């Protein structure tokens, strides 16, 4: 912060930062980078292993389920698990994990939109590209239906919801209408 007094420039406390000895400035910059990388939130990503949500959760539950084979009975080979996590901001994220340990679907619902770049992983680019091509309508509803991935997201301030799944990774008999 610069202040002018009688034709001279008086320097405030912030200007002393730039006059630090070179090694000390480098050390402060390195410490800042380490702290920033340690604070990065960890979310699930479609097509990857489930996440641990380190430091961002208040509730974490998991339950094992089985997809029905169309006749109403569950197929033992089509088991999957659902991990429900409530983030610190109140948003609930559900990961649907197949028997192979890979997330095949995610859903979110809550007052804050989670970081979709982390949540969707490599499929975020698909959402970004398709939403740029769609006309902007009232509440920001976006639906992307590609051969391999389907993403639905929408809502408004304090009420966001969405779901995404990888079509090729869905367990046999899994009904996407059951995604919460």
């Amino acid at each position: 912060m610069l202040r002018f007094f009688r034709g001279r420039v008086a320097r405030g406390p912030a200007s002393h930062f730039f006059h630090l000895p070179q090694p000390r400035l480098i050390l402060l910059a390195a410490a800042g980078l380490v702290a920033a990388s340690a604070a990065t939130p960890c979310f699930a990503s479609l097509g990857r292993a489930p996440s641990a949500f380190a430091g961002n959760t208040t509730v974490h539950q998991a339950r094992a389920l089985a997809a029905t084979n169309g006749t109403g009975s569950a197929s033992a080979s089509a088991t999957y698990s659902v991990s429900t996590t409530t983030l610190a901001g109140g948003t609930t994220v559900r990961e649907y994990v197949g028997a192979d340990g890979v997330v095949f679907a995610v859903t979110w619902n809550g007052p804050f939109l989670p970081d979709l770049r982390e949540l969707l992983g490599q499929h975020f680019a698909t959402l970004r590209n398709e939403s740029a091509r769609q006309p902007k309508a009232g509440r920001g509803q976006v639906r992307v239906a590609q051969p391999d991935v389907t993403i639905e997201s929408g809502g408004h301030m304090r009420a966001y919801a969405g779901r995404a799944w990888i079509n090729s990774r869905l367990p046999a008999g899994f009904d996407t209408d059951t995604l919460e």
Side-chain angles (χ1 to χ4, degrees), residues 74-140:
S75 168
S77 63
T79 60
Y80 64 96
S81 64
V82 179
S83 177
T84 303
T85 304
T86 303
L87 303 176
T91 299
T92 301
V93 176
R94 288 181 183 84
E95 302 173 272
Y96 292 77
V97 183
D100 59 356
V102 176
V103 176
F104 66 86
V106 292
T107 64
W108 59 94
N109 184 356
F112 297 101
L113 193 61
D115 185 357
L116 294 179
R117 182 180 307 273
E118 292 295 324
L119 195 64
L120 300 175
Q122 67 185 15
H123 302 288
F124 178 75
T126 303
L127 174 67
R128 183 183 61 221
N129 294 339
E130 287 298 314
S131 65
R133 294 183 344 162
Q134 293 180 4
K136 303 296 180 218
R139 298 192 179 241

Side-chain angles (χ1 to χ4, degrees), residues 32-54:
L33 285 174
V34 169
S37 67
T40 303
C42 178
F43 289 102
S45 247
L46 278 176
R48 295 188 189 162
S51 69
F53 292 97

